[in-house]
Amino acid sequence: MEPLLRMDDVHTHIGQYHILQGVSFEARAGEVGVLLGRNGAGKTTTLKTILGLTPASGGRVSFGGTDVTKKRTHAISRSGIGYVPEDQGIFSTLTVEENMKVAMTRETEETRKKLDTVLELFPDLKTFWKKDGGHLSGGQKQMLAMARAFVGNSKLLLIDEPSKGLAPIIIEKVMEAIQEMKQHTTIVLVEQNFMMASRIGDTYTLIDDGRTVQSGRMADLAGNDELKRKYLGIG
Amino acid sequence: MDLFVNLLVNGLATGMLIFLLASGLTLIFGLMDVLNFAHGGLFAWGAFASVWFYTATGSFFGAIAGAILTGIILGLITEKLIITPVYGNHIQQILITLGFMLVLTEMLKVVFGPNQLAAATPEWLNGSWVFGDIIIIKYRIFIIAVGIAVFTVIQFILRRTKIGLIVRAGVINKEMVQALGIDIKRLFLFVFIAGAALAALGGALFAPYSGVIYAEMGLEFAILAFIVVVIGGMGSFPGSLLAAILVGLAGSFMAYYVPALSLAVNMLLMAAVLIFRPQGLFTAKG
Ligand SMILES: Nc1ncnc2c1ncn2[C@@H]1O[C@H](COP(=O)(O)OP(=O)(O)OP(=O)(O)O)[C@@H](O)[C@H]1O
Ligand SMILES: [Mg+2]
C-alpha cells in the first residue's frame, strides 16, 4: 500500500546552510512514526519541510499520493496535515476558544464533530475556554496545540517533542492523548524520550546530521543497542 | 480655558489624522514585518484625489469616496509591484518604498501640476460653535468623530469577525496561521489595501483642515506615523490610537508653550518609550 506520507532524498537549505542532506521517510496510514535523533539532527526541520515552512530544495515530498514539494504551506495544511510545533505556537493573547477557531475557519459538520471529540479528550480546554492561551500551564498549552491541529480536518498530525519541558505525570497524559488521537488519524512524532517513543511508535526513522541513517519497525530498534548507543547516546 | 480647549481639540484632530496613517502601518508591520515608507505618498494622493473629486462631484462624500477608491487602487498596485518582491528583506523594503514614495510624489506633480492646491471645507462643516468664551471649529470635531468611528469599526472587525481573528493571530505568529491553512499572502494583501484606504482617507480629511495641499505633505505625517507605531507597539491597533493621540496632543501643546521643543518632543517621547518599554506601550506579538 502507498504510504500516506513519503519523503524521498529530501534536501533543505535555510539561508546558505544545507540543513537536510538526504532525508527519506514514510508514514503509513493509521500508524505512529517516530523521528529520532540527537539535538540538532534535523528533526524539526524535517517537519517544517513537510509543511513547506522551510521548503525543500531537492528531493520529493508526497502526501496521499500527490507531490506537495513545491506547494505553499497553507495549501499543504489544507490538504490534511496538522502541525504541533516544538514551541506549541499558541496565540498567547487569544483565548482558548479563539485559538481553536483560527484552525476552524472552514467550519463543517466534520470539524464540529472533531471539536466534540477533542473537548472530550481534553476537558481542561473546556474549563479554560475563555482564558488567554498565554495563561495556560505548559501541559495545557500542549493539549491546546494538539487539539487545534486535530480539529483542522487532519489526516496526518506532525507533533514535535510534545514531552519537552513537562513533568512526568503530564507527559503521561499527553502520551495517552496521542494514543487516543491515533484512533482517528496518522501521526508523525518527534520524541527524544526513547521510553515514550518506543511505547507509542510503530515505526522509527533515525536522523543524524540531516540524513536518514536507519528506519524500521520500532520493535527492532528496541533490541538494537549498538544503534541506540551510536545515534541516541543510550542503551 | 479657551486656549486649553483649542489646543486640546487641535491636538486630538491632528492625532486622529496621524492615527489613520499609523493604524495601517502598524498592522502591515505586525503581520508581515514590512516597513512601508511609501505610506505617506498614499496620504498625499488621498488629499489630491479628494480635491479633484470634490470639484468633479460637488459633494464632500464624493470627495471622500473618491479618495478611498484611489487609496484602494494605489494600495493594490503598491503591494503587488513594490512590496511582494521584497518580502523578508528590510533593507530592500526601505530602499524600494522610499524610492516609490518619491515616485508617488513626483507623479502627483505630473497629474495635478507642481503648485499647491487650495482645498475647501464643505458648507455644513464650515464655521464654529461658540460656548461662552470657548470657540470650537466644527471641522476639527468632525475629524475627531471620523477617527473615533474608524477606530470603532476596525476594532469591531478585529474582535468580532473571522477575518479579524485571523489578522490578530497572524500578527502574533504568522508561521502558525499558515500551518493552520490560512493563505497569509491574501490576508496581507487585504490588510495592505485597507491600510492604504485609511491613509488616503486621512489625506482627504487633512485637505480642508490645512486649506492647502502640496505633493510633499505626506512625508511629515508619515514620519509622525512611524514614531506612533514605535510608541504604540508594532502591530498593536489600540496602541496606534493611543500613541497617535499622545503625539498629536504633545505637538499641539508644545507648539504653543515651548515652541522650540515642538519638533523634538515626539522624538523624545519615542526615545523614552524605547528606553523604558522597548516593545511599545502595547504588545501585539508573543
Ligand atoms: N533558521 C535556521 N538558521 C540556521 N540554522 C538553522 C535554522 N534552523 C535550524 N538550523 C540548524 O539546523 C540543524 C537542525 O535543526 P533542527 O531544529 O531541525 O534540529 P532538531 O533535530 O529538531 O534538534 P532539537 O532536538 O534540538 O530540537 C541545527 O544544526 C540547527 O542549528
Ligand atoms: Mg527540534
Side-chain angles (χ1 to χ4, degrees):
Chain A
M1 201 180 79
E2 172 78 5
L4 181 62
L5 176 80
R6 191 189 167 112
M7 299 179 83
D8 279 315
D9 193 29
V10 167
H11 290 244
T12 297
H13 286 78
I14 302 180
Q16 80 255 44
Y17 303 105
H18 193 172
I19 308 285
L20 299 188
Q21 314 185 7
V23 170
S24 297
F25 165 67
E26 285 181 7
R28 299 192 166 277
E31 292 193 336
V32 176
V34 183
L35 298 179
L36 294 167
R38 50 183 136 219
N39 290 113
K43 306 178 297 293
T44 297
T45 308
T46 299
L47 297 190
K48 287 193 169 182
T49 297
I50 295 170
L51 273 164
L53 286 167
T54 54
S57 46
R60 185 183 143 105
V61 182
S62 58
F63 176 64
T66 2
D67 186 348
V68 296
T69 322
K70 298 269 181 279
K71 283 195 181 171
R72 283 172 55 211
T73 299
H74 71 100
I76 297 172
S77 160
R78 281 189 197 178
S79 67
I81 302 183
Y83 181 43
V84 182
E86 205 166 2
D87 66 1
Q88 296 144 0
I90 299 302
F91 304 117
S92 55
T93 53
L94 304 190
T95 63
V96 170
E97 178 185 16
E98 289 172 328
N99 267 275
M100 295 298 289
K101 278 196 168 157
V102 176
M104 296 171 63
T105 45
R106 284 153 301 129
E107 215 173 316
T108 59
E109 192 57 41
E110 197 176 339
T111 58
R112 271 193 294 274
K113 233 184 263 163
K114 283 204 154 181
L115 182 63
D116 291 339
T117 311
V118 95
L119 288 180
E120 232 165 81
L121 199 55
F122 306 115
D124 269 15
L125 295 184
K126 238 188 296 186
T127 318
F128 299 120
W129 199 236
K130 296 284 176 193
K131 196 166 159 173
D132 273 1
H135 292 155
L136 300 178
S137 73
Q140 289 162 348
K141 279 185 186 155
Q142 190 61 48
M143 311 269 176
L144 174 56
M146 293 200 300
R148 192 178 60 180
F150 183 76
V151 287
N153 203 12
S154 302
K155 301 187 203 73
L156 172 70
L157 280 188
L158 309 176
I159 309 180
D160 199 347
E161 294 204 48
S163 67
K164 199 176 171 187
L166 299 181
I169 185 167
I170 308 293
I171 295 180
E172 196 57 42
K173 277 174 76 178
V174 169
M175 290 301 153
E176 274 168 28
I178 292 176
Q179 302 252 2
E180 187 63 39
M181 291 198 295
K182 187 187 165 184
Q183 311 302 316
H184 307 269
T185 174
T186 306
I187 293 171
V188 170
L189 184 69
V190 171
E191 184 50 69
Q192 298 267 48
N193 181 332
F194 185 69
M195 286 297 288
M196 290 298 166
S198 59
R199 231 181 69 201
I200 57 176
D202 297 303
T203 62
Y204 74 92
T205 297
L206 201 50
I207 295 174
D208 200 49
D209 276 337
R211 288 185 182 85
T212 299
V213 289
Q214 183 94 28
S215 53
R217 304 303 296 178
M218 189 57 99
D220 300 335
L221 178 63
N224 193 334
D225 287 342
E226 198 200 320
L227 214 55
K228 283 195 283 182
R229 199 168 27 243
K230 190 163 171 209
Y231 294 110
L232 303 172
I234 51 171
Chain B
M1 191 60 193
D2 171 25
L3 176 67
F4 177 81
V5 170
N6 264 319
L7 292 176
L8 182 72
V9 169
N10 208 4
L12 285 175
T14 314
M16 288 305 179
L17 292 174
I18 301 169
F19 161 70
L20 289 175
L21 265 181
S23 55
L25 275 184
T26 204
L27 289 179
I28 289 166
F29 184 83
L31 200 56
M32 294 299 269
D33 285 340
V34 165
L35 294 164
N36 176 23
F37 283 96
H39 213 58
L42 302 171
F43 183 83
W45 268 88
F48 277 83
S50 75
V51 169
W52 189 87
F53 277 98
Y54 200 8
T55 316
T57 64
S59 143
F60 186 57
F61 287 110
I64 299 279
I68 290 176
L69 186 69
T70 306
I72 289 173
I73 292 168
L74 283 177
L76 180 70
I77 294 171
T78 310
E79 206 276 343
K80 288 281 181 206
L81 257 52
I82 306 297
I83 306 287
T84 302
V86 293
Y87 275 138
N89 188 326
H90 280 164
I91 302 289
Q92 287 183 9
Q93 283 165 16
I94 292 170
L95 293 176
I96 197 171
T97 58
L98 271 177
F100 192 59
M101 171 80 193
L102 297 178
V103 171
L104 284 175
T105 307
E106 291 309 309
M107 286 302 290
L108 271 177
K109 294 180 189 165
V110 171
V111 176
F112 296 98
N115 301 322
Q116 53 182 38
L117 293 184
T121 313
E123 201 61 49
W124 55 281
L125 286 172
N126 238 328
S128 44
W129 289 298
V130 181
F131 306 97
D133 61 348
I134 300 176
I135 299 168
I136 295 177
I137 295 170
K138 280 187 193 169
Y139 191 72
R140 291 184 185 168
I141 298 296
F142 173 72
I143 290 180
I144 296 170
V146 172
I148 292 170
V150 166
F151 176 78
T152 311
V153 168
I154 294 183
Q155 189 69 346
F156 177 85
I157 293 173
L158 285 173
R159 296 276 145 196
R160 294 272 177 271
T161 69
K162 210 176 261 182
I163 188 149
L165 173 67
I166 296 171
V167 170
R168 282 188 294 144
V171 168
I172 300 170
N173 187 338
K174 67 168 183 261
E175 271 202 352
M176 200 61 228
V177 297
Q178 293 172 79
L180 291 171
I182 287 144
D183 184 349
I184 193 102
K185 284 192 186 159
R186 253 182 56 196
L187 181 70
F188 180 66
L189 177 63
F190 168 82
V191 170
F192 193 92
I193 288 175
L198 288 179
L201 171 64
L205 292 175
F206 176 75
Y209 179 67
S210 94
V212 288
I213 57 174
Y214 47 97
E216 287 85 2
M217 60 183 265
L219 194 61
E220 187 188 331
F221 269 88
I223 291 170
L224 289 176
F226 263 103
I227 293 174
V228 159
V229 169
V230 172
I231 294 177
M234 301 210 175
S236 168
F237 180 70
S240 70
L241 177 71
L242 191 81
I245 289 176
L246 211 64
V247 165
L249 288 176
S252 163
F253 280 88
M254 282 298 182
Y256 186 82
Y257 289 109
V258 202
L261 270 184
S262 72
L263 281 178
V265 64
N266 292 310
M267 293 295 175
L268 293 176
L269 258 169
M270 181 166 77
V273 167
L274 285 175
I275 290 167
F276 296 108
R277 221 182 130 74
Q279 73 275 39
L281 298 178
F282 287 68
T283 25
K285 305 242 174 195

